[in-house]
Amino acid sequence: MASEIEISPADTRKAPGKDQQAAGVGILLQIMMLVLSFVLGHVLRRKKVYIIPEASASLLIGLIVGILANISDTETSIRAWFNFHEEFFFLFLLPPIIFQSGFSLAPKPFFSNFGAIVTFAILGTFIASIVTGILVYLGGVLFLMYKLPFVECLMFGALISATDPVTVLSIFQELGTDVNLYALVFGESVLNDAMAISLYRTMSSVKADPSGQNLFMVVVRFLETFVGSMSAGVGVGFISALLFKYAGLDIDNLQNLESCLFVLFPYFSYMLAEGLGLSGIVSILFTGIVMKHYAYSNLSQSSQRFASAFFELISSLAETFVFIYMGFDIAMEQHSWSHVGFIFFSIIFIGIARAANVFSCAYLVNVVRPSHRRIPPKYQKALWYSGLRGAMAFALALQSVHDLPEGHGQTIFTATTAIVVLTVLLIGGSTGTMLEALDVVGGDDDSPLASVGTVTNFDGRNGYIAPPYNEESSSGNKIKMKLKELHKSAASFTAIDKNYLTPFFTSQNGDEDDEAEPFTSTRSGFHGQSPYSS
């Protein structure tokens, strides 16, 4: 006991210096990897090397550094300062990524394809989640893979159904594809995140409270999470629009205050939803959509430039760091690699579920649409191929480690990490070849959607030309008539937005266009004309 008393003062004197040194090494390592990722990504895009996309380069950098750190004698200290908890992930990394997804949506291409996007993102994600969960459960029952309880299989199906086609969308823009195909892929990925996290939280609550496992309560919990979170986000977005419209903050000496308030509203939405027991991610997503459509046009020009650059910057940093961390995590953390069969069959089942999602929803959309606006088979195949997994699936898998007992969460986390890495490296690297094989590169005048618009379908006054809806006689099928009514409701919402919402929440009238440019997204790299295109 005496020797321990003599040693402990020395340890306390040395500890702060060692902690500072470890912190400095860890932070320096992270900064160096970020710098290297951005520089390498720039070089790859400039050289038009599509085999190794930027996200893949970030993953490989994290993997290499993790392997080097794992074999060095500084492994423990570096891991202590590089590893972070899921709270850091959800509070500081995911919010800017998700907000920028909603904020970068161009309203006119989005709402002109709104019915199809909602079908793929809501109904399609539900189908993919259920199909994946059932197949994984059956695989366990048949001893093809590690067996999980049915509810946990549904949780895995929900989290792995979250798509993040950042790599595919970037190459879509580089090679030039139809703007409607781009809108479908990007719009689905944005709303898909909200659906996936709502389904995951619903299944998680069912897991925590087995007594409430009847279908009615499951539906109620899902609606509570999804609709409640969406309402909170939309409400905060509308409040911000009214504030910036009437507060008079767009004068020179108040523009700093205007910019600060605009940056704070997204986190206010996130924390409000979390405080109410809802989903902050879903809330901040819809806040981004509403703030860009209504509040953004009420800002001064300098504040608009600042807001766009700021959110694009932090989103790009956060997403690059996520991919670096995923590569680093593979080398540094203990994974359940013994369940290789779970990973292998999960990849097969995810492909089947993605096919059930895309082709069934495309059929419903084509039933509604006139013949000249139907989604052609080659676009459906491109949609199926674009179902990469990314930040949201990884984050929910990280959460599942604590939500699920007995190592089940660790198995799901390992499988999800492997799936994200494989889809980004393999599918992302072969996207250019896929686009050329499907013949969807460049403006195709013969495409069934060509009359709707290509990437250059913008006029000088009104921006994006919304596709017309043709009143064609139905075959008499009642289901088709109902679907056509739902399709026309999207056009009705556009009219309500133009005639009532836009004049009320913005300082412009409904005839003005607040978004006369293509999609601008850091997730996709689509920022007008690419600086790397010839």
Side-chain angles (χ1 to χ4, degrees):
M1 179 66 69
S3 61
E4 292 178 359
I5 297 175
E6 291 174 359
I7 292 174
S8 66
D11 291 340
T12 56
R13 287 194 300 269
K14 292 179 182 179
K18 289 183 178 180
D19 287 345
Q20 287 182 349
Q21 182 182 14
V25 172
I27 294 173
L28 176 63
L29 182 64
Q30 296 171 38
I31 294 175
M32 289 175 61
M33 287 191 291
L34 283 171
V35 171
L36 182 59
S37 296
F38 283 116
V39 172
L40 183 58
H42 169 75
V43 172
L44 291 172
R45 291 185 66 189
R46 187 164 188 172
K47 298 296 183 181
K48 298 183 179 181
V49 180
Y50 302 128
I51 298 178
I52 307 177
E54 295 171 77
S56 301
S58 300
L59 273 170
L60 293 174
I61 289 172
L63 181 62
I64 293 171
V65 173
I67 292 174
L68 294 177
N70 208 21
I71 62 178
S72 68
D73 56 358
T74 58
E75 172 193 348
T76 303
S77 59
I78 292 178
R79 177 183 295 176
W81 283 100
F82 194 90
N83 193 19
F84 51 80
H85 300 287
E86 68 277 0
E87 288 83 4
F88 174 79
F89 202 98
F90 277 98
L91 291 177
F92 296 103
L93 291 182
L94 270 185
I97 295 174
I98 302 302
F99 177 81
Q100 177 64 14
S101 298
F103 191 72
S104 60
L105 275 180
K108 293 205 174 355
F110 175 76
F111 284 113
S112 64
N113 292 280
F114 183 74
I117 289 173
V118 169
T119 302
F120 283 111
I122 305 299
L123 178 61
T125 303
F126 178 78
I127 293 173
S129 174
I130 298 300
V131 170
T132 302
I134 292 175
L135 289 177
V136 169
Y137 179 74
L138 292 177
V141 171
L142 297 176
F143 303 102
L144 296 175
M145 56 198 298
Y146 184 71
K147 184 177 180 180
L148 294 174
F150 184 65
V151 176
E152 294 181 12
C153 291
L154 293 177
M155 292 175 66
F156 175 67
L159 70 89
I160 206 64
S161 64
T163 61
D164 183 14
V166 51
T167 302
V168 171
L169 289 173
S170 178
I171 298 175
F172 272 20
Q173 191 274 329
E174 293 290 336
L175 298 180
T177 58
D178 182 85
V179 72
N180 293 282
L181 175 60
Y182 188 96
L184 288 175
V185 176
F186 182 53
E188 181 209 1
S189 70
V190 171
L191 297 183
N192 162 274
D193 289 340
M195 183 68 177
I197 195 171
S198 298
L199 285 172
Y200 177 82
R201 288 202 169 193
T202 301
M203 293 298 105
S204 180
S205 65
V206 172
K207 172 69 176 177
D209 183 19
S211 60
Q213 285 191 13
N214 60 78
L215 181 61
F216 176 75
M217 289 304 301
V218 170
V219 173
V220 168
R221 287 171 181 171
F222 169 76
L223 292 177
E224 179 185 4
T225 301
F226 185 80
V227 178
S229 303
M230 180 181 68
S231 301
V234 171
V236 171
F238 280 145
I239 291 173
S240 69
L242 292 175
L243 173 66
F244 292 114
K245 179 179 180 179
Y246 294 111
L249 300 174
D250 56 348
I251 58 179
D252 291 339
N253 59 340
L254 291 179
Q255 288 180 2
N256 287 339
L257 174 60
E258 183 183 45
S259 299
C260 290
L261 289 175
F262 195 86
V263 170
L264 289 175
F265 266 103
Y267 265 101
F268 174 76
S269 169
Y270 183 90
M271 296 303 174
L272 174 65
E274 290 293 330
L276 294 175
L278 303 172
S279 171
I281 295 298
V282 177
S283 178
I284 200 173
L285 168 64
F286 285 97
T287 299
I289 296 174
V290 173
M291 288 186 70
K292 181 59 180 288
H293 192 39
Y294 299 106
Y296 183 77
S297 60
N298 295 331
L299 301 177
S300 61
Q301 290 187 357
S302 61
S303 295
Q304 286 182 354
R305 289 192 296 269
F306 168 80
S308 297
F310 176 78
F311 289 120
E312 186 174 353
L313 170 66
I314 61 172
S315 174
S316 180
L317 285 171
E319 188 147 40
T320 302
F321 187 83
V322 168
F323 282 107
I324 290 174
Y325 176 73
M326 279 191 282
F328 191 88
D329 176 83
I330 293 175
M332 296 292 289
E333 296 299 323
Q334 298 296 324
H335 288 280
S336 302
W337 297 115
S338 58
H339 303 302
V340 179
F342 187 89
I343 299 173
F344 175 77
F345 284 104
S346 292
I347 294 175
I348 296 176
F349 295 155
I350 289 168
I352 296 173
R354 178 70 180 171
N357 168 358
V358 171
F359 298 117
S360 62
C361 291
Y363 172 78
L364 293 177
V365 171
N366 287 340
V367 166
V368 172
R369 288 186 168 186
S371 58
H372 70 281
R373 288 203 56 223
R374 290 175 181 168
I375 303 174
K378 62 181 181 180
Y379 283 14
Q380 297 178 33
K381 295 174 184 177
L383 279 167
W384 174 79
Y385 200 83
S386 303
L388 282 74
R389 271 59 181 178
M392 179 57 72
F394 181 76
L396 292 175
L398 195 64
Q399 180 68 41
S400 71
V401 175
H402 300 275
D403 291 342
L404 301 178
E406 302 172 2
H408 293 179
Q410 191 63 44
T411 300
I412 289 177
F413 179 59
T414 300
T416 303
T417 304
I419 290 167
V420 170
V421 172
L422 290 174
T423 55
V424 170
L425 291 178
L426 299 181
I427 297 180
S430 59
T431 299
T433 305
M434 177 271 296
L435 292 176
E436 294 175 355
L438 294 177
D439 193 25
V440 294
V441 176
D444 186 5
D445 295 335
D446 297 328
S447 168
L449 296 181
S451 60
V452 181
T454 61
V455 76
T456 57
N457 191 20
F458 293 83
D459 68 19
R461 183 176 64 86
N462 291 324
Y464 182 83
I465 303 173
Y469 176 80
N470 282 3
E471 291 286 350
E472 293 187 351
S473 59
S474 172
S475 62
N477 189 304
K478 293 183 179 180
I479 297 179
K480 288 186 178 182
M481 292 299 295
K482 290 292 184 181
L483 291 173
K484 287 181 181 291
E485 291 176 6
L486 291 174
H487 177 74
K488 287 189 287 185
S489 66
S492 301
F493 174 79
T494 302
I496 293 173
D497 173 58
K498 178 180 178 180
N499 296 326
Y500 300 102
L501 296 180
T502 298
F504 183 76
F505 288 104
T506 70
S507 54
Q508 57 180 280
N509 58 54
D511 295 327
E512 293 177 346
D513 180 34
D514 60 339
E515 188 64 43
E517 61 183 30
F519 292 91
T520 55
S521 169
T522 52
R523 293 181 77 179
S524 61
F526 197 169
H527 197 60
Q529 180 65 30
S530 169
Y532 305 107
S533 2
S534 55

